[in-house]
Amino acid sequence: MTRQELFNNILRKQSFLCVGLDSDIKKLPSCLKGKEDAVFSFNKAIIDATQSYCVAYKPNLAFYESLGAVGQITLEKTVAYIREHYPDQFIIADAKRGDIGNTSEMYARAIFDYADYDAVTVAPYMGEDSVKPFLLYPNKWVILLALTSNKGSLDFQLMEDAKGERLFEKVLKKSQEWATDEHMMYVVGATQGKMFEDIRKYAPDHFLLVPGVGAQGGSLEEVAKYGMNKQCGLLVNSSRQIIYADSSENFAEAAAREAKKVQEEMSGYLKWITNEK
Amino acid sequence: MTRQELFNNILRKQSFLCVGLDSDIKKLPSCLKGKEDAVFSFNKAIIDATQSYCVAYKPNLAFYESLGAVGQITLEKTVAYIREHYPDQFIIADAKRGDIGNTSEMYARAIFDYADYDAVTVAPYMGEDSVKPFLLYPNKWVILLALTSNKGSLDFQLMEDAKGERLFEKVLKKSQEWATDEHMMYVVGATQGKMFEDIRKYAPDHFLLVPGVGAQGGSLEEVAKYGMNKQCGLLVNSSRQIIYADSSENFAEAAAREAKKVQEEMSGYLKWITNEK
């Protein structure tokens, strides 16, 4: 998917919501427990219920890997289901991969050749040759970790050099030598609030994938206020708050209700840029 | 496996070699092509041929993921085969994982609960809560990226703060607040030669997993000279040079020959510490 297509979807659906499919077999509604491929049934119901309120899905690979090959099959079915039924959805492999060149090449093959994701999250620690193999696929995206939403983000990401430049800023700067904003996005945690102003100094036009709204405590309004650019430039992820909104047999309706609530709030913020036009 | 058990294996086998199972379906010997689960047959033959010359195996998860669920099954069979037939081998999931706490917990489940690896490689960018879930398993290990063997390691890992402390040094220092050298090792690339002296200032007693000898150009002698400590403290990985030593039907014998050559060289270096006793 191109940047323009993504922006068109955002305008049409009045949403920049990404639903995170962190589907934990231990947290499924009891009505699904014991059923054959219960995780896929759960995902399918969640997707059908939420698809009109979001522009992206983000399966979190860890949750599927914890189930071994069986989880891998569930994941493949989930991606194929979205592709087939909702081809306008942007699908993100939340994988945080990154390794030496010949190995990143294999991860890229897994994500973009074997499966058919639109984007993959990548960790920057190993530098250029660990990221570039993911950039060789036309209309596919790397979403590079810059400033994450967790407490541990303070450990290294804010390290400053002698000139006061921080590690996450170096990541933003250096990585722009590897790809344009048509192929690269950044992960910036919603829990970092006003830090979005700093991020936008380095990456004014890039899309940002923003986790941390909802269960992790980030504010959507703050993210929109400090993070939005002329082409929206935001994909805000919510996982637990939507997919586990209810644990009864009404889980899908509850998920739809939560997603709709977020979409409506987003619609309000999108007026800031559409009214400017 | 405990640190002492690993050291005992090293002394007994006179080897600190780790064989990397970067098994690429496109590079298999032609005699295996088209056979059912050819990658597993390849791994099995390589393992049987090399096991007496090494103390560890390191499947590189990317290579299996590139084949989807089928690759996952091959990987599971490979790990189970090593566990059953060569229980003294230390098995490393080369995965470079790391995510927010609840997600790293799922990756840890995949590696240590669902599968039965001894260790997993982890990327440090997201800090403490991304690493700790892997440390909750007794006698299991985190191998944290410190200074890697690739060109991209120069992009961020050598960043210096105002006091001249580099990012990889911060990773070495900070992470020692999370675990002792009984649960944590570090990845240090062989291509970094004399940098091992710097590493040993911060981590004198830790085991280091050292990729980059062989195909990537690192020198085993330099690694041993600058990196070895009283309990050896090194696991040196070789992948391509051993597993692809020959592409004929004699590939396993050729792999054994290469592994034996490395083991014999290692045996010489191990005298430096055993003679000191």
Side-chain angles (χ1 to χ4, degrees):
Chain A
M1 191 180 294
T2 67
R3 182 197 167 82
Q4 187 61 48
E5 286 165 346
L6 179 59
F7 184 47
N8 292 348
N9 290 342
I10 289 171
L11 290 180
R12 184 168 46 81
K13 296 182 125 178
Q14 286 290 296
S15 171
F16 45 98
L17 174 62
C18 172
V19 174
L21 299 171
D22 297 21
S23 308
D24 183 350
I25 197 163
K26 295 185 180 173
K27 287 190 189 165
L28 296 188
S30 49
C31 60
L32 288 177
K33 278 181 187 164
K35 289 210 174 160
E36 209 195 311
D37 205 348
V39 178
F40 177 68
S41 302
F42 176 76
N43 283 351
K44 189 171 164 302
I46 292 284
I47 292 161
D48 289 338
T50 57
Q51 56 84 20
S52 51
Y53 309 114
C54 67
V55 293
Y57 286 102
K58 180 171 74 61
N60 185 335
L61 272 52
F63 287 72
Y64 303 87
E65 290 180 17
S66 74
L67 304 173
V70 168
Q72 194 56 41
I73 292 167
T74 300
L75 182 62
E76 290 173 11
K77 281 165 68 182
T78 301
V79 174
Y81 183 80
I82 303 170
R83 267 283 165 265
E84 188 185 341
H85 294 87
Y86 309 109
D88 60 347
Q89 293 288 345
F90 187 79
I91 315 177
I92 301 167
D94 198 0
K96 313 282 198 300
R97 298 299 196 259
D99 207 316
I100 63 170
N102 82 320
T103 301
S104 275
E105 209 180 302
M106 287 289 164
Y107 282 127
R109 228 190 255 178
I111 304 286
F112 296 137
D113 266 343
Y114 187 85
D116 186 20
Y117 291 95
D118 293 289
V120 59
T121 56
V122 176
Y125 194 77
M126 293 181 69
E128 179 169 357
D129 52 309
S130 72
V131 178
K132 279 202 158 167
F134 296 101
L135 291 165
L136 299 175
Y137 294 75
N139 295 332
K140 301 291 188 180
W141 296 78
V142 162
I143 310 182
L144 198 64
L145 299 185
L147 189 59
T148 58
S149 57
N150 63 324
K151 191 163 161 274
S153 66
L154 307 174
D155 287 331
F156 307 116
Q157 296 167 26
L158 300 183
M159 172 186 175
E160 281 182 23
D161 70 10
K163 292 179 191 156
E165 193 173 70
R166 290 165 291 186
L167 175 57
F168 77 88
E169 290 164 336
K170 278 191 195 298
V171 169
L172 291 171
K173 269 171 65 175
K174 187 78 191 169
S175 61
Q176 291 183 43
E177 299 170 14
W178 313 333
T180 69
D181 52 21
E182 298 282 338
H183 282 289
M184 194 167 306
M185 304 185 181
Y186 298 105
V187 173
V188 180
T191 49
Q192 307 283 356
K194 279 199 75 175
M195 293 287 265
F196 276 87
E197 288 184 318
D198 293 353
I199 298 281
R200 284 300 184 203
K201 279 183 212 152
Y202 290 90
D205 298 323
H206 284 74
F207 262 88
L208 308 177
L209 173 64
V210 185
V213 164
Q216 291 180 63
S219 144
L220 178 56
E221 188 179 1
E222 280 216 332
V223 170
K225 190 168 163 193
Y226 299 112
M228 201 176 263
N229 65 22
K230 282 179 196 165
Q231 283 206 315
C232 181
L234 295 172
L235 286 174
V236 171
N237 184 74
S238 182
S239 305
R240 286 170 269 181
Q241 198 180 0
I242 291 176
I243 69 174
Y244 301 131
D246 189 308
S247 60
S248 76
E249 70 275 23
N250 301 316
F251 69 95
E253 292 81 349
R257 218 163 30 240
E258 282 299 314
K260 186 165 188 279
K261 214 190 307 175
V262 179
Q263 179 272 320
E264 285 171 351
E265 189 180 343
M266 286 176 167
S267 176
Y269 304 136
L270 282 167
K271 291 200 175 63
W272 300 345
I273 52 171
T274 46
N275 287 346
E276 271 176 21
K277 276 190 175 173
Chain B
M1 190 180 296
T2 66
R3 182 196 167 83
Q4 187 61 47
E5 286 165 347
L6 179 59
F7 183 47
N8 292 347
N9 290 341
I10 289 172
L11 290 181
R12 184 169 46 81
K13 295 181 125 177
Q14 286 290 296
S15 171
F16 46 98
L17 173 63
C18 171
V19 173
L21 298 171
D22 297 21
S23 309
D24 183 350
I25 197 163
K26 296 186 180 170
K27 287 190 190 164
L28 297 188
S30 48
C31 61
L32 289 176
K33 277 180 188 163
K35 291 211 173 160
E36 209 194 311
D37 205 348
V39 178
F40 177 67
S41 301
F42 176 75
N43 283 352
K44 190 171 162 303
I46 293 284
I47 292 161
D48 289 338
T50 57
Q51 55 83 22
S52 51
Y53 308 115
C54 67
V55 293
Y57 286 100
K58 181 172 74 60
N60 185 335
L61 272 52
F63 287 72
Y64 303 87
E65 289 180 17
S66 74
L67 304 173
V70 168
Q72 195 57 41
I73 292 167
T74 300
L75 181 61
E76 290 173 11
K77 281 165 66 180
T78 301
V79 173
Y81 184 80
I82 302 170
R83 267 284 165 267
E84 187 184 341
H85 293 87
Y86 310 110
D88 59 347
Q89 292 288 345
F90 188 79
I91 313 177
I92 301 167
D94 198 0
K96 313 284 197 300
R97 297 300 197 259
D99 206 314
I100 63 169
N102 82 320
T103 302
S104 275
E105 210 179 302
M106 286 291 166
Y107 281 126
R109 231 190 252 177
I111 304 285
F112 296 137
D113 266 345
Y114 186 87
D116 187 18
Y117 291 95
D118 294 289
V120 58
T121 57
V122 176
Y125 193 77
M126 295 182 68
E128 180 170 359
D129 52 309
S130 71
V131 178
K132 278 202 160 167
F134 295 102
L135 291 166
L136 300 174
Y137 294 76
N139 295 331
K140 301 291 188 181
W141 295 78
V142 162
I143 310 182
L144 198 65
L145 299 185
L147 189 60
T148 59
S149 56
N150 63 324
K151 190 162 160 277
S153 66
L154 306 173
D155 287 330
F156 307 117
Q157 295 167 26
L158 300 184
M159 172 187 175
E160 282 183 21
D161 70 11
K163 291 179 191 157
E165 193 173 71
R166 291 166 287 187
L167 175 57
F168 76 89
E169 290 164 334
K170 279 192 197 294
V171 169
L172 292 171
K173 268 172 66 177
K174 188 78 189 167
S175 61
Q176 291 184 42
E177 299 169 13
W178 312 334
T180 68
D181 52 20
E182 298 283 337
H183 281 289
M184 194 168 304
M185 303 184 181
Y186 298 105
V187 173
V188 180
T191 48
Q192 306 282 359
K194 277 199 78 177
M195 293 286 263
F196 277 85
E197 288 184 319
D198 293 352
I199 299 280
R200 283 304 184 197
K201 278 181 212 152
Y202 289 89
D205 298 324
H206 285 75
F207 261 88
L208 308 177
L209 173 64
V210 185
V213 164
Q216 292 181 61
S219 144
L220 178 56
E221 188 178 0
E222 279 215 335
V223 171
K225 190 167 160 192
Y226 298 111
M228 201 177 264
N229 65 21
K230 283 179 192 163
Q231 283 205 315
C232 181
L234 295 172
L235 286 175
V236 171
N237 184 75
S238 181
S239 304
R240 286 169 270 182
Q241 197 180 3
I242 291 175
I243 70 174
Y244 301 132
D246 188 309
S247 60
S248 76
E249 70 274 21
N250 301 317
F251 70 95
E253 291 82 349
R257 218 164 30 239
E258 282 301 314
K260 185 166 189 279
K261 215 191 304 176
V262 179
Q263 179 272 320
E264 286 170 349
E265 190 181 343
M266 286 176 167
S267 175
Y269 304 136
L270 282 168
K271 290 199 176 63
W272 301 345
I273 52 171
T274 46
N275 288 346
E276 270 175 22
K277 279 188 171 174

